[in-house]
């Protein structure tokens, strides 16, 4: 396993083509806008090296028998799935942001199932290819970007019906030694902090879409790949010299648009090639795993609840019954999210490949709650924090020899608490509910791992309605529905 320092050094060896604010970023690792997101991924390495977190953060590879980072592991039991949920919460609590590495783990696990299923159907040899690739990822302790979301163009049209054929990533040409691919993947979490990109289709496909039914892996700096960094609310505060105003000084997440401009993929890295019948299965498996992964938000919720209790104390309001009740409400919502992620793991099952997969219905119910509860938790946090969270002057004013004394005096809360500490915790709540971390805690909770409607469709498909109706009819004595 790599250390956090080795991970950082490994990123420096990549030759990524990254753009931000219209300019090429030659050194993303040290860029002040990107670095906090690198720190968050580096934390997945640091935590794996700490003995107290070993059981949660690491696992034994079923391929080699060696201890590996759990983010590269293929789940071998329900306990593995449960530990994955625990890991997400733990990492969320230690970073208070999206730590990005789950998408690759979820892509590897989904592919371990679907490559096996395709081989069983077609007699192909995808499993062998995939396991060779998996061994490489595990051995080198790599970060993989799990790239699913295509730009999608006109949503009423299928991939092959789009006026611009590149709106879904597709095969542009076939060569003796591999394929040429063209298209893009949008909203790619942690893309610039990744060693590898694992591409998957974004929706179920029909025969006419077969050129779009592809999955493959590439080094993140393969020729023809360009990253265009997404903006986040309040992001340029990271460029100022007022660390207190950032709220979370160390950690953050990032998303990027990844463009594949006629990129070559050798055959040994192609894991699905025009098997359109299995595109939907790959999407469903990845989405279910990633919906479980949203246990991360429970960990971020832990931080926000802790910050809310702290500001209540700093304001001298913590003994008020309505504040106590709001904190209870936040905890109840947050633990409900945890219950959802744990339950889909505990009800997991073994796939024919041997990989353990979460319960699809429960994973979708869990993620549906994630599209709602963090917003309510954030609303309560803002209620408890008070308006000062958004009217607070900058750290520079606080440090000013002329006016700093006024801020010190008038922003004093409880007498035993420094004004500076009160400002720091307010900025953290601002960061989590309105600033850069709100991307991860709120909007990503809404749209990450699929927007709410995607989960509702899955819930309606997975629920056994016939069984429910039978229970009801049996209990009230309905036997024959045909009229005499
Ligand atoms: Fe992982 Fe959560 Fe970020 Fe998704 S949103 S990559 S589950 S930390
Ligand atoms: Fe996500």
């Amino acid at each position: 396993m790599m250390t956090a320092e080795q991970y950082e050094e490994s990123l420096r060896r990549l030759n990524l083509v990254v753009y931000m604010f219209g300019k090429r970023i030659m050194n993303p690792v040290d860029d002040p806008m990107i670095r906090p997101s690198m720190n968050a991924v580096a934390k997945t390495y640091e935590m794996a090296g700490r003995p107290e977190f070993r059981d949660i953060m690491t696992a034994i590879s079923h391929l080699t028998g060696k201890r590996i980072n759990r983010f590269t592991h293929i789940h071998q039991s329900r306990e593995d799935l449960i530990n994955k949920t625990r890991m997400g919460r733990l990492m969320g609590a230690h970073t208070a942001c999206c730590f990005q590495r789950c998408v690759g783990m979820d892509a590897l696990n989904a592919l371990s199932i679907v490559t096996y299923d395709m081989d069983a159907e077609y007699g192909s040899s995808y499993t062998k290819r995939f396991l060779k690739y998996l061994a490489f990822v595990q051995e080198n302790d790599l970060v993989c970007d799990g790239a699913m979301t295509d730009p999608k163009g006109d949503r009423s049209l299928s991939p092959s019906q789009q006026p611009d054929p590149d709106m879904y990533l597709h095969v542009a040409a076939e060569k003796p030694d591999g394929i040429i691919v063209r298209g893009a993947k949008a909203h790619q979490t942690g893309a610039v902090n990744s060693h590898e990109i694992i591409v998957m289709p974004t929706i179920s496909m029909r025969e006419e879409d077969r050129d779009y039914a592809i999955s493959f892996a590439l080094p993140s700096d393969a020729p023809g790949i360009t990253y265009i960094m997404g903006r986040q609310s309040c992001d340029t505060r990271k460029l100022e010299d007022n660390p207190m105003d950032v709220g979370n000084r160390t950690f953050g997440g990032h998303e990027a648009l990844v463009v594949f401009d006629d990129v070559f993929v050798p055959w040994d890295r192609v894991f699905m090639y025009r098997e359109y019948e299995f595109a939907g299965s790959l999407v469903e498996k990845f989405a279910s795993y990633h919906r479980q992964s949203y246990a991360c938000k429970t960990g971020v919720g832990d931080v926000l609840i802790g910050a809310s209790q702290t500001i209540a104390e700093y304001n001298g309001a913590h003994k008020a019954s309505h504040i106590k009740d709001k904190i209870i409400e936040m905890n109840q919502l947050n633990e409900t999210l945890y219950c959802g992620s744990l339950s889909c793991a505990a009800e997991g099952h073994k796939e024919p490949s041997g990989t353990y997969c979460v319960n699809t219905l429960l994973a979708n119910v869990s993620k549906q709650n994630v599209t709602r509860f963090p917003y309510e938790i954030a609303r309560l946090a803002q209620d408890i924090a008070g308006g000062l969270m958004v009217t607070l002057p900058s750290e520079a004013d606080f440090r000013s020899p002329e006016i700093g004394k006024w801020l010190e005096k008038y922003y004093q809360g409880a007498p035993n608490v420094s004004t500076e500490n009160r400002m720091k915790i307010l900025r953290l709540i601002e960061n989590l509910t309105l600033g850069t971390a709100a991307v991860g805690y709120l909007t990503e909770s809404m749209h990450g791992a699929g927007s709410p409607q995607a989960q509702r469709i899955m819930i309606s498909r997975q629920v056994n309605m016939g069984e429910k109706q039978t229970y009801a009819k049996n209990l009230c004595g309905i036997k024959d529905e045909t009229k005499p």
Side-chain angles (χ1 to χ4, degrees):
M1 293 188 290
M2 275 202 277
T3 64
E5 293 73 28
Q6 287 167 337
Y7 164 65
E8 183 177 332
E9 287 314 307
S10 71
L11 288 185
R12 289 184 196 285
R13 289 194 289 276
L14 299 176
N15 183 26
L16 302 180
V17 180
V18 181
Y19 279 83
M20 188 167 56
F21 295 126
K23 293 196 183 77
R24 173 114 188 243
I25 306 292
M26 300 310 292
N27 177 6
V29 174
D30 294 312
D31 186 276
M33 295 275 285
I34 300 173
R35 187 161 179 95
S37 70
M38 193 285 294
N39 289 339
V41 184
K43 196 77 180 164
T44 68
Y45 289 90
E46 188 219 308
M47 298 277 283
R50 286 165 64 172
E52 66 270 38
F53 299 131
R54 194 173 96 144
D55 289 347
I56 295 182
M57 296 296 304
T58 69
I60 300 298
S61 166
H62 74 296
L63 291 181
T64 61
K66 289 187 193 164
R67 188 162 289 279
I68 53 171
N69 193 301
R70 188 174 293 282
F71 281 101
T72 67
H73 183 52
I74 300 299
H75 317 300
Q76 299 298 305
S77 63
R78 287 184 177 146
E79 188 63 20
D80 269 347
L81 290 170
I82 289 169
N83 276 329
K84 179 195 159 192
T85 289
R86 291 181 180 135
M87 175 170 74
R89 184 171 192 169
L90 184 71
M91 284 302 311
H94 278 79
T95 58
C97 69
C98 168
F99 41 87
Q100 307 146 57
R101 207 174 167 185
C102 336
V103 276
M105 166 178 58
D106 295 336
L108 290 171
N109 275 275
L111 276 169
S112 78
I113 295 170
V114 177
T115 50
Y116 184 94
D117 291 348
M118 285 190 296
D119 288 356
E121 179 74 20
Y122 304 118
S124 45
S125 53
Y126 287 120
T127 306
K128 202 168 146 223
R129 267 187 206 171
F130 171 73
L131 292 178
K132 188 172 160 229
Y133 177 72
L134 176 69
F136 161 73
V137 169
Q138 290 185 344
E139 188 64 29
N140 294 287
D141 200 3
L142 300 179
V143 176
C144 303
D145 169 23
M148 180 162 276
T149 311
D150 290 276
K152 298 199 282 278
D154 182 341
R155 270 48 172 184
S156 69
L157 302 175
S158 72
S160 56
Q161 291 169 338
Q162 298 284 334
D164 181 343
D166 302 339
M167 284 303 166
Y168 289 77
L169 194 144
H170 61 101
V171 185
E174 188 181 311
K175 306 234 164 193
D177 48 351
I179 54 174
I180 305 286
V181 297
R182 190 185 308 149
K185 291 287 180 182
H187 327 302
Q188 286 311 297
T189 294
V192 171
N193 295 325
S194 302
H195 305 100
E196 291 277 321
I197 306 184
I198 302 174
V199 167
M200 296 162 285
T202 200
I203 49 168
S204 303
M205 305 270 174
R206 289 192 288 257
E207 188 169 4
E208 58 269 31
D209 300 322
R210 56 205 293 272
D211 284 350
Y212 297 85
I214 52 171
S215 176
F216 57 85
L218 281 171
S220 52
D221 58 355
I225 301 180
T226 302
Y227 301 84
I228 306 167
M229 299 295 295
R231 293 213 63 175
Q232 297 176 331
S233 175
C234 308
D235 52 4
T236 46
R237 285 196 199 181
K238 293 182 218 165
L239 303 176
E240 300 168 5
D241 194 18
N242 297 309
M244 201 200 295
D245 292 359
V246 178
N248 183 348
R249 302 162 188 223
T250 315
F251 300 113
H254 81 239
E255 268 81 26
L257 175 71
V258 186
V259 178
F260 296 76
D261 187 20
D262 287 348
V263 182
F264 174 71
V265 189
W267 284 121
D268 65 346
R269 279 170 163 263
V270 177
F271 308 130
M272 175 183 283
Y273 186 61
R274 293 178 163 151
E275 289 86 358
Y276 62 90
E277 303 97 326
F278 283 85
S281 170
L282 185 52
V283 173
E284 189 185 304
K285 292 283 183 296
F286 173 79
S288 297
Y289 278 129
H290 202 47
R291 287 166 194 173
Q292 177 208 7
S293 289
Y294 271 59
C296 65
K297 305 307 176 212
T298 317
V300 181
D302 288 332
V303 176
L304 187 54
I305 294 167
S308 302
Q309 175 68 31
T310 304
I311 191 60
E313 292 171 10
Y314 288 5
N315 289 344
H318 58 294
K319 293 199 176 124
S321 61
H322 74 98
I323 297 285
K324 287 185 188 164
D325 195 54
K326 282 164 188 159
I327 296 281
I328 292 169
E329 177 83 8
M330 294 166 89
N331 276 309
Q332 182 254 319
L333 291 168
N334 203 44
E335 298 303 333
T336 305
L337 294 182
Y338 192 51
C339 293
S341 181
L342 276 180
S343 72
C344 68
E347 293 275 300
H349 61 274
K350 193 176 184 176
E351 291 280 336
S353 69
T355 305
Y356 270 74
C357 189
V358 290
N359 177 296
T360 308
L361 173 60
L362 295 177
N364 279 278
V365 169
S366 178
K367 173 63 198 359
Q368 180 80 181
N369 285 338
V370 175
T371 67
R372 297 172 178 169
F373 295 178
Y375 285 87
E376 184 60 14
I377 295 169
R379 189 185 73 78
L380 291 163
Q382 291 190 350
D383 180 348
I384 293 169
L388 184 57
M389 182 186 83
V390 290
T391 62
L392 199 57
S394 77
E395 180 179 357
D397 291 316
F398 184 74
R399 308 266 178 236
S400 158
E402 290 84 30
I403 54 168
K405 61 185 182 214
W406 299 122
L407 299 183
E408 187 72 51
K409 176 182 163 77
Y410 289 112
Y411 287 145
Q412 174 73 49
N416 58 340
V417 176
S418 74
T419 307
E420 181 170 337
N421 283 352
R422 189 166 176 238
M423 292 169 77
K424 278 183 183 164
I425 204 80
L426 284 168
R427 286 294 183 213
L428 179 61
I429 297 172
E430 183 198 28
N431 173 258
L432 284 163
T433 64
L434 292 167
T436 51
V439 175
Y441 188 56
L442 298 179
T443 320
E444 199 173 30
S445 289
M446 179 73 80
H447 294 293
S451 304
Q453 188 58 20
Q455 290 117 55
R456 297 183 85 77
I457 291 167
M458 285 304 295
I459 290 168
S460 75
R461 274 196 210 143
Q462 293 283 322
V463 158
N464 188 342
M465 190 53 72
E467 184 185 66
K468 293 178 201 301
Q469 288 184 289
T470 304
Y471 288 143
K473 288 174 185 173
N474 282 349
L475 281 167
C476 63
I478 297 173
K479 287 198 176 70
D480 182 6
E481 288 182 345
T482 54
K483 280 189 183 172

